[in-house]
Amino acid sequence: MGMQQQVEKMQLRQGFQNLWHTDLMGTVTADTPYCCLACFCGPCVSYLLRKQALYNDMSRYKCCAGFMPCSGRFGESHCPELCLGTEVCFCFATSVSSTRFLIQDELNIKTTPCDNCMIGFMLILSQIACIFSLIACITGNEELGELSNVLSCIADTVFCSVCACIQTQHHFELNKRDGKLPAVVLGVPQVQQMSRTDEKNPPQTGYY
């Protein structure tokens, strides 16, 4: 995919109207076990979600879902499972974002401002930690070195946590698309009472 096509895709996504089934803040409580699985075994979850996003048809697979210049140049069609396994292990963050773009483009889903803030904070924190590590390495300052280690630990923790929430969000949306979410059980409507116009306080009709 060329740069011009990527820009057009990004502009198109700004006009999407549908929302995610659950926002990033609600994923932990919505499915805590899956969120923990995504946190401690992120590459495995990323592999399964990409496969589900492709409707389990690996003949449709392209490296990084076709969003990178290298996509389609590694002979993915000959061994898609191996290529996907390599992608999620060595380009984990890209594999997660590529699956996200696939889902958004197919289902016309926009990302909420809150989700954008969380993802942006994760990326900025990682960049700051990287910059401090470089400065500490160049200057040899021990205090900066300790500070960079602390920032790196915080950035890694935030990265793992946010990525787990993102993948749980993908999990919910793909299950919703595939009809795997449990049906919502509607309650039995309350019995309504008829009222006379001459009553001062007619009985409530059961609407709350």
Side-chain angles (χ1 to χ4, degrees), residues 66-174:
F67 294 108
M68 291 294 175
C70 61
S71 300
R73 299 184 179 181
F74 296 106
E76 297 98 319
S77 58
H78 300 293
C79 49
E81 289 82 4
L82 177 61
C83 290
L84 178 56
T86 304
E87 177 190 335
V88 299
C89 289
F90 295 101
C91 305
F92 172 66
T94 306
S95 73
V96 174
S97 60
S98 298
T99 301
R100 187 174 188 82
F101 293 149
L102 269 181
I103 297 171
Q104 286 185 282
D105 291 345
E106 179 187 355
L107 304 176
N108 294 337
I109 298 174
K110 64 179 180 180
T111 302
T112 63
C114 180
D115 288 359
N116 281 331
C117 286
M118 290 182 65
I119 296 172
F121 175 73
M122 173 189 70
L123 296 175
I124 292 173
L125 188 59
S126 298
Q127 294 298 320
I128 293 175
C130 181
I131 292 171
F132 269 85
S133 297
L134 289 173
I135 295 175
C137 182
I138 293 172
T139 61
N141 189 304
E142 293 184 0
E143 293 182 354
L144 278 178
E146 293 177 358
L147 179 59
S148 69
N149 290 334
V150 172
L151 284 174
S152 295
C153 288
I154 296 174
D156 290 342
T157 302
V158 172
F159 176 80
C160 292
S161 302
V162 175
C163 274
C165 292
I166 290 174
Q167 298 215 87
T168 305
Q169 190 179 55
H170 297 172
H171 170 68
F172 268 103
E173 201 62 42
L174 290 173

Side-chain angles (χ1 to χ4, degrees), residues 33-43 45 157 160-161 163-165 167-168:
Y34 193 91
C35 195
C36 291
L37 175 64
C39 184
F40 294 107
C41 196
V45 171
T157 302
C160 292
S161 302
C163 274
C165 292
Q167 298 215 87
T168 305

Side-chain angles (χ1 to χ4, degrees), residues 54-62 76-78 80-81:
L54 297 173
Y55 295 89
N56 295 317
D57 181 8
M58 292 302 289
S59 64
R60 303 172 58 185
Y61 170 77
K62 282 187 179 181
E76 297 98 319
S77 58
H78 300 293
E81 289 82 4

Side-chain angles (χ1 to χ4, degrees), residues 12-31:
L12 185 62
R13 290 188 191 108
Q14 294 177 0
F16 290 167
Q17 297 300 318
N18 295 329
L19 297 176
W20 295 96
H21 182 74
T22 179
D23 59 13
L24 290 181
M25 295 291 289
T27 53
V28 178
T29 54
D31 194 341

